[in-house]
Amino acid sequence: MDREDIVCDCDVLHSDVVEEVRKRMPNEDDLYDLADFFKVLGDSTRVRIIWALDENEMCVCDIAVLLNMTKSAISHQLRSLRQANLVKFRKEGKVVYYSLKDDHVKAIFETGMEHIKE
């Protein structure tokens, strides 16, 4: 497909469509937050961690072994995922277990995986 094939060449502004979409458009702050949410998922290490946690709750040590990384590196990435509200943790004695924050995170991740495998 040539670039000319994807450029709109209409002379009529579809003002009814523009106005309807404008009414439903989220505010700028929400759109920036959404962009930041997807930026967090733009790191392959964090995606690998999310994949692991989608499979099972895990501690930092187990994730580090699974991904062949240091505990420090995993902890750093988990901090970013916690700040983005994508993972949660619970303590059991001295061990900290991580899991996905909720079903929304699981659904977004699994839908993304499904999409790339099409």
Side-chain angles (χ1 to χ4, degrees), residues 2 14 28 39 42 44 48 75-76 79 82 90 103:
D2 291 338
H14 302 95
E28 287 294 314
K39 281 181 194 174
S44 62
R48 292 167 65 208
S75 293
H76 175 76
R79 187 176 313 112
R82 273 194 329 268
R90 69 176 180 86
D103 289 338

Side-chain angles (χ1 to χ4, degrees), residues 50-82:
I50 291 173
W51 183 87
L53 297 178
D54 187 41
E55 292 294 312
N56 205 72
E57 175 184 70
M58 297 179 78
C59 71
V60 174
C61 297
D62 291 342
I63 297 169
V65 168
L66 175 69
L67 301 183
N68 195 29
M69 296 178 68
T70 65
K71 291 186 284 185
S72 175
I74 296 299
S75 293
H76 175 76
Q77 296 300 340
L78 284 167
R79 187 176 313 112
S80 295
L81 292 169
R82 273 194 329 268

Side-chain angles (χ1 to χ4, degrees), residues 20-106:
E20 189 59 36
V21 172
R22 180 177 283 132
K23 288 177 189 174
R24 294 193 310 251
M25 189 98 161
N27 70 49
E28 287 294 314
D29 289 341
D30 289 342
L31 292 173
Y32 284 124
D33 290 345
L34 183 60
D36 287 342
F37 169 80
F38 282 109
K39 281 181 194 174
V40 171
L41 298 176
D43 179 272
S44 62
T45 299
R46 289 192 289 264
V47 169
R48 292 167 65 208
I49 292 170
I50 291 173
W51 183 87
L53 297 178
D54 187 41
E55 292 294 312
N56 205 72
E57 175 184 70
M58 297 179 78
C59 71
V60 174
C61 297
D62 291 342
I63 297 169
V65 168
L66 175 69
L67 301 183
N68 195 29
M69 296 178 68
T70 65
K71 291 186 284 185
S72 175
I74 296 299
S75 293
H76 175 76
Q77 296 300 340
L78 284 167
R79 187 176 313 112
S80 295
L81 292 169
R82 273 194 329 268
Q83 289 171 342
N85 213 23
L86 296 175
V87 300
K88 63 183 178 181
F89 68 92
R90 69 176 180 86
K91 291 185 177 184
E92 193 171 293
K94 292 185 177 185
V95 181
V96 179
Y97 292 95
Y98 285 85
S99 59
L100 297 181
K101 179 74 174 184
D102 56 33
D103 289 338
H104 294 111
V105 177
K106 186 175 184 65

